[in-house]
Amino acid sequence: MDLSGLKVMVIDDSNTIRRSAEIFLGQAGCQVLLAEDGFDALAKIADHHPDVIFVDIMMPRLDGYQTCALIKKNPRLAATPVIMLSSKDGLFDRARGRMVGSDEYLTKPFTKNSLLKTVAEHAPKRAG
């Protein structure tokens, strides 16, 4: 799967999740931006305008729901797909994610295939 040139941000307080996402996405040709929490991410998002954002739900300081809501409230970022990451695959989490504007929900640990498929589904369509 060729996703070259896409900017994908992964916001997760787990170093393992960030590393595996970085490896999988890098192999597919993505430019990967990493952040440890919502505050760290918001500054980077403003500077780099990623095409797709993955955000962990459970994080210190600013959780995934708050981070997603802030991204979606910004008119310049509102169209950016935000995919929630969680180790819990609960209906409540999915519903709450939808309420703050998330576009998709991916359960951790994810596989390389599920991660790349999710990016491909939500990446801006390129003129071909």
Side-chain angles (χ1 to χ4, degrees):
M1 195 178 304
D2 180 29
L3 301 171
S4 55
L6 282 176
K7 272 195 245 179
V8 181
M9 171 164 255
V10 179
I11 311 165
D12 200 305
D13 56 337
S14 158
N15 193 33
T16 313
I17 294 290
R18 287 197 312 273
R19 285 293 304 140
S20 39
E22 184 177 30
I23 292 163
F24 296 158
L25 293 164
Q27 288 168 343
C30 296
Q31 185 183 333
V32 187
L33 305 160
L34 300 173
E36 287 180 33
D37 65 37
F39 285 113
D40 186 21
L42 292 169
K44 290 180 180 175
I45 291 167
D47 290 345
H48 300 284
H49 301 285
D51 297 304
V52 179
I53 301 169
F54 287 90
V55 60
D56 181 28
I57 290 176
M58 302 300 291
M59 293 185 297
R61 300 200 306 161
L62 198 63
D63 73 20
Y65 299 120
Q66 294 163 315
T67 304
C68 179
L70 288 167
I71 293 165
K72 292 296 186 177
K73 278 187 184 131
N74 181 324
R76 291 208 320 267
L77 303 171
T80 307
V82 177
I83 292 100
M84 305 302 269
L85 291 173
S86 178
S87 45
K88 300 194 305 246
D89 191 14
L91 214 61
F92 174 76
D93 291 324
R94 287 175 184 270
R96 190 164 170 210
R98 287 265 186 265
M99 282 168 55
V100 293
S102 77
D103 297 86
E104 176 85 52
Y105 192 96
L106 191 62
T107 307
K108 299 191 290 190
F110 45 76
T111 62
K112 177 178 179 177
N113 224 9
S114 65
L115 183 70
L116 299 182
K117 188 170 156 275
T118 304
V119 171
E121 284 169 6
H122 292 279
K125 302 291 175 254
R126 303 176 199 189

